[in-house]
Amino acid sequence: MGGVSAPNGRHVTRRPDLFIVGAGTAGTTALYEYLLGHPQVYMSPIKEPDYFCPDVVPDSDFSYGTKLDKYLALFTPTGRHRRVGEASTSYLRSSQAPALIREFEPEARIVIMLRNPIDRMHSMHSQRVALGLEPIGDLEAALDSEAAGFPYLERARVADHVSRWLDTFGTDRVHVIIFDDFAADTEAVFRKVLEFLEVDPNLGPRSFEPRNTSYRQRAAARTLFTSRAAQWAAHGVLPRLIGDNATQRLSRSVRHSRICRRPNRVAPMRAGLRRRLAHELSADDGRLSTLLQRDLRALWFGRPALGAKSAREE
């Protein structure tokens, strides 16, 4: 794992070798934040740099191919960190990201988190409504006008994406987490992640409380973060005092605090819509079941996948 040293010999940056690549709304924020607290793992202060997916996020702040130094500056671990990583959910659906990351770091470890696609779709829609990105408050109505809106169904289909990562890195370097398992026994699943990363599996967080549940930003927080004083502090004073990465971590901590966010109550999905979506997503989840040798159609839809093999230990 290469690095860049300052003239005084102090280690400044290191190339990341851990990538949480998605999927969005499947627990990646929780996993990222649990890893932030592990003394042998260094995670980028910006959760989603989106560096390796120019086909999906062409206007990333880090821009693949032109801003490598800026990207690497996110990674300033100490000698005690055995893994250095980041989490960008856009990587999962990028056709370029697997090959670009493999070229960048052939020995990288890849973590994929998957969730019932219907629940993911429901969560994506609710999140977009709460953030003011989706004008149609009813998911079924939003789906029926999908041609002019957000591609919820397309985002819910992930079998081809998972296959691409497995083909590029192999099963020994790709660790797949099913959200149902993560929610049922977070501590045990997190321990398996640490074992996969070859760091101390006994050093978990003090609490496995849920992270990044559905929320709405408080009006006062929007005013605070757009104020001239806040911009001056975030882009002028704080970086000079504590450094760019520490400023990013502090900003993220404040933005994700209860001071700035309040829970967003999400109405349950209608049974008829759930049946419709289970039918439309059945083929993709059957293929995913075969890829992962686990019957996800039975787990998520209550319908066994024909020919699916039994589950294997992750």
Side-chain angles (χ1 to χ4, degrees):
M1 292 177 284
V4 178
S5 294
N8 63 6
R10 183 173 62 85
H11 197 79
V12 178
T13 65
R14 211 169 88 191
R15 297 167 78 87
D17 59 359
L18 158 62
F19 298 87
I20 302 172
V21 304
T25 70
T28 59
T29 295
L31 180 60
Y32 164 84
E33 294 192 355
Y34 297 150
L35 287 170
L36 272 178
H38 195 285
Q40 296 175 340
V41 179
Y42 180 93
M43 296 299 291
S44 161
I46 294 178
K47 176 179 178 276
E48 310 247 3
D50 292 331
Y51 179 71
F52 291 101
C53 54
D55 56 328
V56 174
V57 189
D59 57 348
S60 164
D61 289 340
F62 300 92
S63 299
Y64 179 82
T66 62
K67 296 184 179 179
L68 176 61
D69 289 346
K70 183 179 180 181
Y71 174 70
L72 290 178
L74 294 172
F75 307 99
T76 56
T78 64
R80 66 195 175 109
H81 294 107
R82 298 185 60 186
R83 291 286 170 194
V84 177
E86 58 126 312
S88 296
T89 57
S90 295
Y91 291 165
L92 182 62
R93 68 181 191 276
S94 167
S95 62
Q96 297 182 23
L100 291 177
I101 292 176
R102 179 65 185 266
E103 181 181 358
F104 173 83
E105 179 49 73
E107 301 301 311
R109 303 294 174 103
I110 308 299
V111 177
I112 299 175
M113 302 188 73
L114 301 176
R115 182 181 180 185
N116 181 321
I118 299 175
D119 294 337
R120 273 195 67 224
M121 199 183 307
H122 193 202
S123 180
M124 278 190 287
H125 174 261
S126 299
Q127 187 178 76
R128 288 176 56 79
V129 169
L131 294 174
L133 301 174
E134 172 58 73
I136 304 176
D138 179 79
L139 174 58
E140 189 162 18
L143 287 170
D144 290 339
S145 63
E146 188 176 352
F150 187 78
Y152 293 103
L153 274 169
E154 178 185 331
R155 292 288 182 89
R157 297 186 176 102
V158 299
D160 286 346
H161 305 324
V162 173
S163 177
R164 187 161 51 237
W165 286 96
L166 291 171
D167 289 344
T168 302
F169 281 92
T171 56
D172 59 329
R173 293 201 174 274
V174 178
H175 184 75
V176 179
I177 299 170
I178 303 301
F179 181 79
D180 306 70
D181 303 332
F182 190 60
D185 194 344
T186 308
E187 184 174 1
V189 171
F190 185 67
R191 184 182 182 89
K192 287 186 177 182
V193 172
L194 298 181
E195 291 171 350
F196 170 70
L197 298 178
E198 298 179 338
V199 298
D200 192 333
N202 298 309
L203 300 178
R206 293 181 180 178
S207 169
F208 285 100
E209 64 180 12
R211 308 294 178 95
N212 205 36
T213 52
S214 185
Y215 69 90
R216 288 183 182 271
Q217 190 176 54
R218 298 182 188 276
R222 287 195 295 272
T223 302
L224 171 64
F225 279 101
T226 57
S227 70
R228 182 173 298 179
Q231 295 298 315
W232 174 69
H235 300 290
V237 176
L238 287 176
R240 287 198 295 269
L241 291 176
I242 62 177
D244 289 335
N245 286 352
T247 299
Q248 292 288 349
R249 290 200 191 281
L250 177 61
S251 176
R252 178 181 174 81
S253 177
V254 173
R255 284 186 285 106
H256 284 239
S257 70
R258 294 179 182 178
I259 296 173
C260 295
R261 292 181 170 188
R262 61 184 175 86
N264 179 40
R265 294 183 179 179
V266 180
M269 184 181 292
R270 294 187 296 276
L273 177 57
R274 185 171 288 274
R275 287 193 298 270
R276 167 189 162 183
L277 294 175
H279 175 74
E280 295 195 44
L281 294 167
S282 179
D284 188 76
D285 285 282
R287 184 168 178 232
L288 193 61
S289 295
T290 301
L291 280 172
L292 301 182
Q293 299 181 343
R294 179 170 180 177
D295 195 344
L296 297 175
R297 289 185 74 228
L299 175 67
W300 291 337
F301 305 152
R303 304 173 184 174
L306 296 177
K309 300 178 182 178
S310 59
R312 66 163 180 241
E313 288 294 320
E314 294 292 350

